[in-house]
């Protein structure tokens, strides 16, 4: 058995989980509503305050999907009940960020500012305090969506190993390299 797949998903108070005839799992909660289509061979049952995911046999494909769909359903339940929050930090001289609604404007040392329109499901907040690096705080119920947006923002200027400049997650440790040594 899959160690992850055989664990039941606990449903907290205020969250409802339904499975329709097409094997689409819908999770509703205070932070929103999420849906996930599940492979028809994987069986999803809601029993009381738990969701159980089972597989028909022990083929390699079924074993991998068993744990995958259990993890996706768990992420949806956590997302609609608590939500996900990621903080990005801009490290570099002159790096700035501003937000107007769901549009963020990044100044990352290029000749032009970078504008990024975020989906309406994502809440964004920016902090720029004196003598501290600017922060981008993202909140969303969908773990996949918030991870994808963080990867997109990070791709504009990845942290480099010599000076540590770039967009990084708060608390992330960048492996530093020594620069050129001074000859003879």
């Amino acid at each position: 058995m899959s160690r992850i797949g055989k664990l039941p998903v606990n449903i907290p108070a205020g969250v409802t989980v339904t499975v329709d005839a097409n094997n689409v799992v819908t999770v509703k909660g205070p932070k929103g509503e999420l849906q996930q289509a599940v492979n028809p061979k994987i069986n999803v049952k809601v029993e009381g305050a738990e969701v159980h995911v089972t597989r028909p046999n022990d083929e390699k494909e079924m074993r991998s999907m068993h744990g995958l769909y259990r993890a996706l359903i768990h992420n949806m339940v956590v997302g609609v009940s608590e939500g996900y929050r990621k903080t990005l930090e801009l490290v570099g001289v002159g790096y700035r960020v501003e937000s107007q609604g769901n549009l963020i404007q990044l100044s990352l040392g290029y000749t032009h500012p970078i504008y990024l329109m975020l989906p309406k499901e994502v809440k964004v907040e920016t902090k720029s305090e004196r003598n501290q690096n600017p922060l981008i705080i993202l909140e969303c119920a969908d773990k996949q969506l918030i991870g994808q947006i963080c990867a997109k923002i990070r791709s504009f200027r990845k942290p480099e190993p010599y000076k540590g400049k770039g967009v990084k997650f708060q608390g992330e440790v960048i492996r530093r390299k020594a620069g050129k040594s001074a000859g003879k």
Side-chain angles (χ1 to χ4, degrees), residues 6 11 20 42 84 92 113 130 147 157:
K6 68 182 176 183
I11 303 171
D20 68 2
I42 299 293
Y84 290 99
R130 190 171 171 88
R157 181 73 84 174

Side-chain angles (χ1 to χ4, degrees), residues 4-163:
I4 299 296
K6 68 182 176 183
L7 296 173
V9 178
N10 294 321
I11 303 171
V15 176
T16 58
V17 179
T18 56
V19 183
D20 68 2
N22 297 330
N23 231 19
V24 175
V25 178
T26 305
V27 182
K28 293 180 187 175
K31 299 269 185 180
E33 177 181 341
L34 297 172
Q35 288 186 334
Q36 175 67 46
V38 177
N39 188 309
K41 295 177 183 174
I42 299 293
N43 189 13
V44 180
K45 288 183 186 171
V46 180
E47 297 171 354
E50 291 183 339
V51 178
H52 295 276
V53 180
T54 55
R55 63 177 187 241
N57 54 38
D58 282 343
E59 293 176 9
K60 185 173 183 175
E61 182 185 10
M62 291 296 117
R63 287 190 315 228
S64 63
M65 285 194 288
H66 186 206
L68 168 75
Y69 286 120
R70 189 267 177 203
L72 290 175
I73 292 168
H74 179 262
N75 289 343
M76 290 193 306
V77 169
V78 172
V80 298
S81 60
E82 300 167 22
Y84 290 99
R85 181 184 178 104
K86 300 251 184 185
T87 305
L88 295 168
E89 186 176 359
L90 280 60
V91 180
V93 176
Y95 287 11
R96 290 188 306 276
V97 65
E98 294 176 18
S99 65
Q100 301 97 19
N102 275 14
L103 177 72
I104 59 174
Q105 176 185 347
L106 299 155
S107 298
L108 298 174
Y110 296 116
T111 58
H112 58 282
I114 299 169
Y115 295 96
L116 181 65
M117 189 67 186
L118 301 176
K120 65 181 182 300
E121 296 92 11
V122 179
K123 294 184 183 87
V124 65
E125 179 186 342
T126 57
K127 287 185 182 177
S128 298
E129 296 179 13
R130 190 171 171 88
N131 295 332
Q132 289 188 351
N133 294 327
L135 299 176
I136 305 170
I137 301 164
L138 300 168
E139 291 184 40
C140 184
D142 192 348
K143 188 174 185 178
Q144 295 174 21
L145 180 63
I146 198 170
Q148 186 176 9
I149 290 170
C150 286
K152 180 70 173 172
I153 293 171
R154 189 181 156 100
S155 73
F156 294 137
R157 181 73 84 174
K158 288 188 179 161
E160 52 95 18
Y162 296 101
K163 292 184 179 177

